[in-house]
Amino acid sequence: MIFERVRSEGLAHISYFLGSDKEATVIDPRRDCQVYLELARRNEMKIQHIFETHRNEDYVIGSRELAHFTGAIIYHGPGLNFKYGETMKDGQGFSFGKMKLTAIHTPGHTDESMSYTLVDPKLGDQPIIVFTGDTLFVGDVGRIDLYGQVEAPRLAANLYDSIFNKILPLGDGVILCPAHGTGSVCGGSISEREQSTLGLERLHNPALQKTKEDFIKFKVAERFERPPYFRTMEQYNLEGPPPLESLPDPPPLSPREFQKRMKPGAVVVDTRTPSAFGGAHIAESYHIWLRGLPMFAGWLLPYDKPILLVLENREHLEMAVRYLVRLGYDNVEGYLCGGVEACGLEAWYEKAIPTEHLGLLTVQELKTRLDRSDDLIVLDVRSENEWNEGHIGGALHIYVGHLEERLNELPVDRPIAVICKVGNRASLGASILRRASRREVYTVLGGMMAWQKADYSVT
Amino acid sequence: MIFERVRSEGLAHISYFLGSDKEATVIDPRRDCQVYLELARRNEMKIQHIFETHRNEDYVIGSRELAHFTGAIIYHGPGLNFKYGETMKDGQGFSFGKMKLTAIHTPGHTDESMSYTLVDPKLGDQPIIVFTGDTLFVGDVGRIDLYGQVEAPRLAANLYDSIFNKILPLGDGVILCPAHGTGSVCGGSISEREQSTLGLERLHNPALQKTKEDFIKFKVAERFERPPYFRTMEQYNLEGPPPLESLPDPPPLSPREFQKRMKPGAVVVDTRTPSAFGGAHIAESYHIWLRGLPMFAGWLLPYDKPILLVLENREHLEMAVRYLVRLGYDNVEGYLCGGVEACGLEAWYEKAIPTEHLGLLTVQELKTRLDRSDDLIVLDVRSENEWNEGHIGGALHIYVGHLEERLNELPVDRPIAVICKVGNRASLGASILRRASRREVYTVLGGMMAWQKADYSVT
Amino acid sequence: MIFERVRSEGLAHISYFLGSDKEATVIDPRRDCQVYLELARRNEMKIQHIFETHRNEDYVIGSRELAHFTGAIIYHGPGLNFKYGETMKDGQGFSFGKMKLTAIHTPGHTDESMSYTLVDPKLGDQPIIVFTGDTLFVGDVGRIDLYGQVEAPRLAANLYDSIFNKILPLGDGVILCPAHGTGSVCGGSISEREQSTLGLERLHNPALQKTKEDFIKFKVAERFERPPYFRTMEQYNLEGPPPLESLPDPPPLSPREFQKRMKPGAVVVDTRTPSAFGGAHIAESYHIWLRGLPMFAGWLLPYDKPILLVLENREHLEMAVRYLVRLGYDNVEGYLCGGVEACGLEAWYEKAIPTEHLGLLTVQELKTRLDRSDDLIVLDVRSENEWNEGHIGGALHIYVGHLEERLNELPVDRPIAVICKVGNRASLGASILRRASRREVYTVLGGMMAWQKADYSVT
Amino acid sequence: MIFERVRSEGLAHISYFLGSDKEATVIDPRRDCQVYLELARRNEMKIQHIFETHRNEDYVIGSRELAHFTGAIIYHGPGLNFKYGETMKDGQGFSFGKMKLTAIHTPGHTDESMSYTLVDPKLGDQPIIVFTGDTLFVGDVGRIDLYGQVEAPRLAANLYDSIFNKILPLGDGVILCPAHGTGSVCGGSISEREQSTLGLERLHNPALQKTKEDFIKFKVAERFERPPYFRTMEQYNLEGPPPLESLPDPPPLSPREFQKRMKPGAVVVDTRTPSAFGGAHIAESYHIWLRGLPMFAGWLLPYDKPILLVLENREHLEMAVRYLVRLGYDNVEGYLCGGVEACGLEAWYEKAIPTEHLGLLTVQELKTRLDRSDDLIVLDVRSENEWNEGHIGGALHIYVGHLEERLNELPVDRPIAVICKVGNRASLGASILRRASRREVYTVLGGMMAWQKADYSVT
C-alpha cells in the first residue's frame, strides 16, 4: 500500500494519497493538484475516488480540479446541497486495490463532516487508520463556531458524540490522520507533532479529558478569528470552484506597465521582509511577507480586483501564486520585474519613481522613546489570546485582521509604533496605516519576543 | 564534437569544455569544477588535458582541482615559473578524439599568455575556433597594465603584434572564444554580445581600428582598477591554489553562535538588498549584495579572517559560497540562521540583539535636501570613467574600492549621501562609512540613473 | 543579448531563441514548445515574433502552439498560401530590444524559404549571425528534390543563387545558424561540428566548391529517401497543426487493457533494445528502438490508428511521446505497465500471455552459416548510399523504409538474416518480416560494422 | 518536530531522521548517507546522535560514515565489543531539542539489540513512537537463527520477553517504527503496510498471538536463507566499515578496456532484463537484474575481485553502485560504455566481439516440450517456502543462492529449463549454469506465476 501525506504549508493543511495495486484515492485534495497526478504517475496508478471530509472554509478544495484530470468520482457527506459530486451515507464502504475505506458521519465541526477508516481486509474489520478531517486533530478538536453562537452548543455536543462514540471506539492502536497540523486557523492548539494515534489522543488531548458538559462549555467559550474570505471559500466549495487547469504564470512587468495597471485599482502586495519593506516600498502597497500570504491574504485582498506583486526575487513567484490560488485569488496580473534574480524594487527606483519608507524601531529604541514620555502610541496587532498573555502597558490592541475597519479608533496625528510577536504582522499593520495616510508609522522589529527577551515589563 | 561554454557569472569568466569521441579537454577551468566532471560523465568522456591561457589574476584557476579528480595534465604558456603542470612551446600540438588543438604564444596581456586554435583535420589545417584568453575579447582587447607603467608600452606592442600577426591572420571565418564576457574587470568595453568571429572583430572591434602607434598610446593611457586581491590570485595561480575537493557547506549559526564568532575578529558580510540592509542590519557589517560579491569581495575582505554571512534566505548560501571560493575565500564560518527559508536577521532581532539602520533617500528627497542648501555631502563612489561621464555638481568622488583607505578625505560630522549608478555600490560605501563610525549616512536609491531620469542637472 | 540554440535530437533540428531587453524572438520553434516559454520566463522576456524559415516537411512546426501561449505573431516567406500567420517580403526588417532581424528570401530548398540576419545596430549594418534554415548547413546544403524531378534543376539553380548571391556576400565573419545538424533527413552530409561561419563554409563546404553548373548537376543527381509522413507534415505546416497544449500523458495499461486496445487495430511499438526485442516481444509489434522513433515512426506508423508502447522502463515514456508528437502522432493510447521502473513485458509474460522471439546472430554465426552454404538469405536494409559503399556478397537490398511495401520481392520459406549498420534497423526490419508472418527471421547484431571489423569480405 | 522515514529499497531497510529545534538524531543510517546531511541542511539542523539498533548483518551500517561528516556520537547496545562508538545501558536517556529518546535493551534478534522510545515531555513520560530495529516488525518479528541452532531457543525466549515485557507494555497507542519493511531478508512475513502501532500488532501480528512456548517452537522451526555475505557485514559493522566519503563514480569503459579488465579475474554483472540478457550477453557474466542486486549480489559476488557492469543504460549506473556499496562492494571498476543513454552491449557487438545467448521459453513452450517427454530438466530456483507451496511435477529444486555450490547435483548433458516465480531469478540461475559451461540452458519467462495462470498442474 502507498500512503502519502501531502502537506500544504501556510494553510497547515494535510491531504492524503492512498494507493493499492493500480488504484488510488485522495482525501481532501488541494487546488494545485499536480502533486497527486505526479504521485499517481510515479506509482502507475489511477485515481478513482476523491473524498472530502467537509465543505472546507479556509481554502479552495481541489476535488473538481483533480476530477477534471482523472475522471475520479467526488464524494461528500450528507445534509448539504453540494452542486457537484455524490453524497455518501454513514457507513458506506469503498474499495481501492486490496484496501477498504469506510465513511463515518462525524458531525460537529460542520453538519456534513465525515471521517474515513482504512481497513486492510487481511486483518479483519479492525481499522488501521482514521482520517478525521476537522473533527479530531493531534492535541486539539475542530472549531464549532462557524454556524454562529446559537448553533454552537448543538455543534459542540455533536462533536463530542462523534469523537467519543464514533472515533475513539475504533481502538487505541488506530493511527490518526487529520486535515490540519499546527498553525492552521481551524484549531488554535494543534500540536507540532504530526504523528499520533487514538490511544495517544485519548490520554493526552486536553479537549478529550473533559466531561461532555465541560467540553461543550469550553468549546462554546472559545474565540477564533473568522476571516472574511471564509464566506467565499464556503461558496466555492459548495458550488464547485472555478477550474484552474494549471498554475497561473503571471508575467514580469516593467515599472511602467506596473504603474499602468495600478491605476484602475489593482492591489499591490509586497512579499519581502519587514526590513526591506520598511527601507523602501511602493506607496499604497500592502506588506504581506511571503509565508504570511496563506494566513493574511484572505483578510485583506478583494476578490474582484487584480493583484500585483513585489517580490524579493523571481524564485518567490511560484510560491506566492500557489498560496494565492489556494485561497481562490486567480487574478495575479504580474510582478514587478527587476531583471533576473534581482528584487523588483530596484527596477522601480532606478526609473526615479518615488518610493516610501517606514520607521523601523528596535525594542531598545521603542523603550527609550516610551521612557521619554513621547506621545508615541503602541499598537499591538496580535490576536486576542496573545494580547491576553501579556502586552506593553498603555498599548492599544486591534487584531491586524480587523485594523482596516477599525482605523477610526486610532487617534489622528500621533506617531504609531506597531508591534506583534516578531515583526511580520506589525509590518503588515504599518502598511495598512500608511495606506490610510497615517504619517508617522513605525514597525517594531523583534516585537514582543524581543521586548520580553530584553526584560522590559509587560502587563 | 562536443563544445560547451561554461559561464561563471559575476566574474564574467568563460571556460570551455571540448570533447571528441571519448576524450575531453578543458580550457581555463574554474575552481568549483564539478561542472566539467558532470559534462564528462554525461558525455561518457575522460578529461585528459587542461589548458590555461595565462596566470589569471581575477580568480582562482581550477586546473589543479580538476586535475586532482581526473588525472588530466595541466599546460601553461612559457616564461613563467609555475609550480605545477607543464610548460608548452609556441606551436605545440595536442589532440583529443578526432580534433587537434594548437598552442600559439600570444604575449601582451601577460608574457606567458597563450591562445589555442581548434582544427578539424577533415578540413585541412584551417582552424575553426580560436580560444584567446585575455588577449582578444568581443569588442575589446586585454589590459596591459598588470606589470606597471614601465612595462605597459612593451606589453601593448606585444599585444598588438599577437593580435595582428598571430590571431587575425587565422582568417575572418574563425570563431572567437575569449576568456571573459561583458562585466569583467579584465576589460572595460567587452561587448554584451557573446558570439563573434575574427572577421567581425577585424571590422568592428574599436581597438583593432587603430595603427600600432595609436593602439599603444590608447592602451597605455587606459586606467583600470586593480583590486588588492589580484596579488593573492597571482600567487595562488602561480604556486597552485589550495585544494577544495567540494564546495564548502557552512553551517547555520544561531544569533548567539554568530555573535560568539564575531568577537575574535570575523568579518560580517550582508548580501541582502540595499533597502533591506538600510532598514536593519548588524553593526559593523559590510553590505555586498549577492551578485556584487565576485566584484567587491576582493576589494574589502581579508584572507586571514573568518567570514560570516547574513543572507536574504538559505537559497542564497550556495551562490555566495561559490562566488567566494572562486576568489579564494574558503573560510566562510557560517551564516545567520533564520529558520528554513527565512531571512537570518529575523532570528537576530527577535532575540532583542540591537540592529542599526541607514538612511535611504530617493533622488527626489536628495534633490530637496540639496536645494535647501543642506550641509549634506554627496559622495559618488562610481569608477573614474563613470564619474567623468557626468556627476552631481559639488559631489566628492572616491571609488568604492578605495573608500576604506581614503576615509580621512571626508569631512567629519557632516551627513553624507552616498551615490552610485543604481544603489548597490552606494550601499556598500555607506556600510564602509558606518563601520568607520560615521553617524549620519544615506544611500541614494536609484543613484545617478534615477537622478538623470528625473532630469536633474549633472556636471 | 540572449542567444540559445534549442536542439531536438533525433530530428537533428535546431531552433533559436533570441532575446534583447525584455523582448524575445524564436526561429523555427518545435511543437513541444515549453522550452521556449521557460527560456522567456527565466530571462523575464516576452516572445513577440516567431519566424519560420520554410514550410518544414520533416516535423510539425510549433509556431501556432507557441503563438497560442504567447500571442506572438508568426511570419512566413512569400509565395505559399499559409492558413495562419503573416507573409513577409524580402528585406523586411523586425526589431526586438536593441537588435534587428532582417528577412532575406532564399529560395531553393523550397520556393518560400527564408533566411534571417541578425544585426546589432551598434556595429552598423553588418550582420553578426545568419539563420539559414534548410538553405545552407554546416558542410552541406539543403535538398532540392521535394517538388519532384522536373522542378529539381530550377530549385538547384535557385539554391545556388541564394547561397552565392545572398548569403555568402554577407561576409566571412558571419556566424552560421542552420535549422539542422548532423543526422537530419534534410541533408545527407551535414557535419558533426555545429559551429561554423560563412568563411569556413566558403572554404570547406564541399557543395560550395563547385561551379554553378556542377552544383546543379550534383544536386539533381542526389538521391534522398522521402518518408511517406512528409505529406502529412507539409499539410499540417501549411494549414496549421492541431493544438497540443501540453505533452500527452498516456496511461499505464495492464496486459489485459493493452490486449483489449490491440484488438480494434492499435499499432504496438516496442522501443527496447534489439537484444531485448529479439529475446521476447509481443506478436505483431514493430520494433523501433527509442532513438530511432524520430527517424522511422514516420515511415511505418499510420496517423489514423492508436499507438501502444512497450518500453524498457517508465522513464522512457516522456521521450517516446515527445518524439512522436513532433511528427504529429498525438494518439498514444498507453504503455504496457510493468510496475514502477520495470520493463512492461514482465507484466505481460507473468500473466502467461505468449510472447514471440527472433533469432539473434553474431557476425561470426552469420559467417559460419553462410559458409555452410546454408539457404539463408541476407537482407541488407541500409540506405542506398550505405549499400553502395560495400555489402555482403549475395545479399539482397531493400531500404528498411520500403520493406513493408516490397515484401513480395523476398523468396518465401527461406530463412532471412536482416543486417544494417549495427543492428537497430535490422531489428526493425526483422519485426516487419515477422508481422508479415515470415517464420525464420534473424537480426544480425553488430551489422556491417562488426562484419567488417571481423575482416569478412564485402562487395 | 521533524520525523522522516528514509527507505532504502531493495534492502527494504528503513532508517529515521528525527529533529527538534536545531538538533537532529539518526537511527540506523545507511552507508550512502548524503540523504541525512541534506535533511539536516534543509532543516538547518545539526546531527548530534546516531543510534544503532544492533550490529546489522544484511547491509553496511552508515554510522561511521555519517559521524565522519557531522561529528555526531554513535551509540550501540551493550554486550558486544564494537570497535567504534559508545555503549549504552538499558534505560539511558538522550535529548535533542525539546524531545527525549530512551534506550531499551531488547535482546532476541541479537544479544545487543536495542529499541528506542520517543517521548515528548509535554505529554509526560508516555512514549509516542518506538523504534524497534529487528525486534518487532509490522506483521512479523525478528529472526533468531543468526547465532546457530543451539542458541536459537534462548534467543527466541529473549525475543518473546523483550516484546511482551518491554515493548507492548508501552501502550496500544504507540506508533511502531521498525528497521525493515516487506521484502527484507530479515523477516519472511513483514507486511506490505508500513503504518502500524503496538495496538495493531498486539491484535494482528500472527507471531504475537501465540503462547511463549508456541512462540519459541515456531521461531526455532523457521528456516531462513543466510547469504554468505552476512559474515562480511557482521565484521564490517563490528569493526567499523571502510570510509566511503562519496558514492563511487565508475568510469565508462570501451569494449577494449572492458575486456582488458576482465582478464585478470574481474566479475561481470549484467543488470538488464531477462529477455535482453537472454537475447545477447557477454560470456561468463552473471545476470542480476537491477533491482535484484541488493538481494543477490551478496550471494554470488566475491569481495576481493573487481566488478564490471553491463547496464540497460547509463541512468542505471548510480542505482547499481548505490545497491553495491550498501553491501560493501566498493570495487566497481567501470561499466561497459555504449554511448550516451544507449545500452553498453551495442558497443560490444559492433566491435565484432562475440556474445552468447540463452534460450527463453514461454510457459506454453515449456509445457509442449514437457508433454513431448523431452529429456528437458526443469530446475526450480525459488526458496524452499515457495517450492513447498507448489511446483511442477518432476522438477528439481535448488535455491538460486546455493546453485553455484550444488551444480554437481545436476545431470550433465541434458537441457535445463530454469524457473522461478516470474523469471528474474531463473535468468540469474541460467547465467550461473552458463558460467559453468552447461550448454543448453533456458530461462522460463513468466515462471510459476504464468504456469499457474495458464492452468497447468502443480504438485
Side-chain angles (χ1 to χ4, degrees), chain A residues 9 256 272-280 289 291 312-313 315-316 319 340-343 345-346 349-357 360-365 421-424 444-447 449-451 453-454, chain B residues 9 256 272-280 289 291 312-313 315-316 319 340-343 345-346 349-357 360-365 421-424 444-447 449-451 453-454:
Chain A
E9 35 130 20
R256 189 184 302 261
R272 298 173 302 144
T273 59
S275 47
F277 183 81
W289 74 108
R291 279 155 213 289
E312 203 79 60
N313 54 51
E315 277 75 63
H316 289 180
M319 185 70 85
V340 183
E341 297 178 40
C343 164
L345 208 66
E346 187 177 312
Y349 58 62
E350 79 179 26
K351 292 278 181 295
I353 317 178
T355 53
E356 301 206 336
H357 29 91
L360 295 165
L361 294 178
T362 62
V363 290
Q364 290 82 357
E365 290 167 330
K421 189 175 169 197
V422 290
N424 289 316
V444 182
L445 293 178
M449 272 192 73
W451 182 266
K453 200 87 190 171
Chain B
E9 35 130 19
R256 189 185 303 259
R272 298 173 303 144
T273 58
S275 48
F277 183 81
W289 73 109
R291 279 156 212 287
E312 203 80 59
N313 55 52
E315 276 77 64
H316 289 180
M319 186 69 87
V340 182
E341 298 179 38
C343 165
L345 208 66
E346 186 177 313
Y349 58 61
E350 79 180 26
K351 291 280 182 292
I353 316 177
T355 53
E356 301 205 337
H357 29 88
L360 294 164
L361 294 179
T362 62
V363 290
Q364 290 82 359
E365 289 168 330
K421 190 175 167 196
V422 290
N424 289 315
V444 182
L445 293 177
M449 271 192 72
W451 182 266
K453 199 86 190 173

Side-chain angles (χ1 to χ4, degrees), chain B residues 27 57 187 206 335 456:
Chain B
I27 298 175
E57 55 287 328
Y335 68 99
Y456 300 144

